[in-house]
Amino acid sequence: MDKNNKSNLMTVTFRVKRELHDRYKIAMIKENITSTESFIMHVKKQIEHYEKYESKLTDIDNSDYTKANFRIDRDLYAEYKIVMIKERTTPTADFIRYMMKVVEDNNC
């Protein structure tokens, strides 16, 4: 992604449980990367080789939701959406599973 070409960037918004989002942000601090960097790395990895993450995380059961926003290259996101369609899932479901895995892996 060319940082000088901001015209090809778009904002993607996911509606996620607030507690999961907060714990994900804590995991990103522990990993010393931004949430957006993590999201873009995940998208690229899923395009290259799709993996459906399974989580054992069961302690997030509140019904308080928030929005998670990410800026991403429009063409990269389009590729990701095509993979999600072929895998019979959605970007939201895939990213929530990924967030849960990151939270689990970082003991957050």
Side-chain angles (χ1 to χ4, degrees):
M1 177 172 59
D2 181 7
K3 289 187 177 188
N4 296 325
N5 185 6
K6 295 190 187 282
S7 65
N8 203 36
L9 292 178
M10 64 182 285
T11 300
V12 177
T13 302
F14 297 109
R15 188 170 177 262
V16 299
K17 290 187 177 183
R18 181 177 302 280
E19 183 181 349
L20 176 61
H21 188 244
D22 290 346
R23 290 166 69 175
Y24 175 73
K25 289 189 292 187
I26 291 168
M28 295 300 90
I29 291 167
K30 286 182 174 183
E31 291 185 4
N32 198 31
I33 63 172
T34 68
S35 298
T36 298
E37 289 169 334
S38 174
F39 175 63
I40 291 171
M41 288 187 318
H42 170 70
V43 166
K44 288 178 178 178
K45 191 184 306 181
Q46 291 295 71
I47 290 170
E48 189 175 301
H49 176 74
Y50 176 76
E51 181 180 350
K52 185 173 182 178
Y53 300 108
E54 298 296 331
S55 173
K56 297 177 183 83
L57 197 62
T58 59
D59 64 336
I60 298 176
D61 59 1
N62 66 352
S63 59
D64 188 20
Y65 284 83
T66 189
K67 293 179 181 176
N69 298 305
F70 304 95
R71 298 206 24 96
I72 187 169
D73 180 82
R74 192 174 301 276
D75 298 331
L76 182 64
Y77 191 70
E79 279 185 72
Y80 175 61
K81 288 191 328 186
I82 290 168
V83 170
M84 296 301 100
I85 290 168
K86 289 179 179 178
E87 295 297 333
R88 306 236 187 273
T89 190
T90 65
T92 301
D94 178 66
F95 191 63
I96 288 173
R97 285 191 297 267
Y98 172 71
M99 288 174 79
M100 293 174 76
K101 179 186 181 306
V102 168
V103 166
E104 242 181 342
D105 290 351
N106 284 278
N107 297 315
C108 293

